Amino acid sequence: DAGITQSPRHKVTETGTPVTLRCHQTENHRYMYWYRQDPGHGLRLIHYSYGVKDTDKGEVSDGYSVSRSKTEDFLLTLESATSSQTSVYFCAISVDGIYEQYFGPGTRLTVT
Amino acid sequence: GENVEQHPSTLSVQEGDSAVIKCTYSDSASNYFPWYKQELGKRPQLIIDIRSNVGEKKDQRIAVTLNKTAKHFSLHITETQPEDSAVYFCAATNSGSARQLTFGSGTQLTVLP
């Protein structure tokens, strides 16, 4: 499983509250990604990182921010959660030098 | 940006038959095409991939074919088994985009015993 963990694995929160999801890897890979998965939409890229403090927006970045202060951790923050952000969030890493991406176990977020 | 379309959205086959899932992409610069399998409640797992310099790749009962001219690629599963039942996703990326993958919307494959 490429040494990827996500926390928390499940979270229920109320509209308007801030939420931070954490992705942790043990192998110091350069590239990390955050996706959301919703029925009928596959996986959509939110943000990605290509190194410490190097991040960029993906397809569905509105309402989300990210930070990467250490190689091993990539944080996704919902500044003010909305019901439309109820989803399953997957972190992924790409092994340096090759294209393959490997996914973490996912976080199920429910915004009530 | 890249757009990936995947068909069909659902597919049922009898055990032992073959299954084919097709994807089309829009960006002619795309050069890497992975396929993922996702079982219920689990993470997507990479099962096979192909690069644009190759037309076909096989791994036991699964194979992927790529037609760069038509901009489509397909997943072929032969001798299907009940454990092949899952959602399958195709994706595409190009080397100039930090390996950003664009995914298809998925195919629910059901293998009937």
Side-chain angles (χ1 to χ4, degrees):
Chain A
D1 295 332
I4 309 167
T5 58
Q6 293 184 230
S7 59
R9 294 293 313 281
H10 302 271
K11 186 169 182 67
V12 179
T13 192
E14 294 184 348
T15 298
T17 59
V19 177
T20 295
L21 309 182
R22 179 183 183 234
C23 177
H24 178 79
Q25 57 147 329
T26 59
E27 300 184 12
N28 293 322
H29 296 303
R30 180 181 173 193
Y31 293 92
M32 299 184 75
Y33 309 82
W34 276 108
Y35 292 89
R36 62 177 289 174
Q37 184 174 38
D38 305 289
H41 289 280
L43 292 128
R44 292 180 291 174
L45 182 65
I46 305 171
H47 281 279
Y48 64 97
S49 171
Y50 43 95
V52 173
K53 299 192 189 308
D54 292 324
T55 65
D56 208 345
K57 297 178 180 180
E59 176 189 357
V60 290
S61 60
D62 287 350
Y64 301 95
S65 62
V66 291
S67 65
R68 194 167 178 201
S69 58
K70 298 186 292 184
T71 300
E72 59 265 37
D73 289 326
F74 192 31
L75 304 180
L76 177 71
T77 298
L78 291 66
E79 300 290 348
S80 177
T82 68
S83 58
S84 64
Q85 294 175 311
T86 292
S87 188
V88 179
Y89 291 86
F90 286 100
C91 172
I93 62 96
S94 180
V95 177
D96 294 351
I98 62 176
Y99 285 111
E100 288 86 336
Q101 288 189 22
Y102 298 94
F103 285 83
T107 295
R108 182 173 295 276
L109 176 67
T110 302
V111 184
T112 61
Chain B
E2 177 71 277
N3 182 50
V4 177
E5 295 191 357
Q6 183 172 346
H7 300 281
S9 56
T10 61
L11 179 60
S12 293
V13 299
Q14 290 294 137
E15 183 176 358
D17 288 350
S18 295
V20 180
I21 303 170
K22 300 181 179 181
C23 290
T24 61
Y25 61 98
S26 61
D27 187 348
S28 57
S30 289
N31 60 2
Y32 174 67
F33 308 91
W35 285 89
Y36 287 83
K37 175 183 180 182
Q38 187 178 29
E39 297 175 347
L40 189 62
K42 301 292 182 64
R43 73 188 79 190
Q45 297 271 16
L46 179 66
I47 57 171
I48 196 168
D49 57 13
I50 192 168
R51 286 167 174 73
S52 59
N53 59 347
V54 175
E56 181 175 1
K57 183 177 179 181
K58 291 185 69 174
D59 183 2
Q60 300 183 342
R61 294 187 298 107
I62 61 174
V64 57
T65 59
L66 171 66
N67 183 327
K68 288 191 297 181
T69 302
K71 291 191 284 188
H72 67 72
F73 56 112
S74 300
L75 177 70
H76 305 253
I77 306 174
T78 59
E79 301 173 19
T80 53
Q81 302 167 2
E83 52 265 38
D84 294 329
S85 296
V87 179
Y88 292 81
F89 292 96
C90 63
T93 189
N94 71 70
S95 60
S97 60
R99 303 107 176 264
Q100 295 179 64
L101 286 176
T102 300
F103 283 83
S105 55
T107 297
Q108 173 69 63
L109 174 65
T110 303
V111 180
L112 305 169

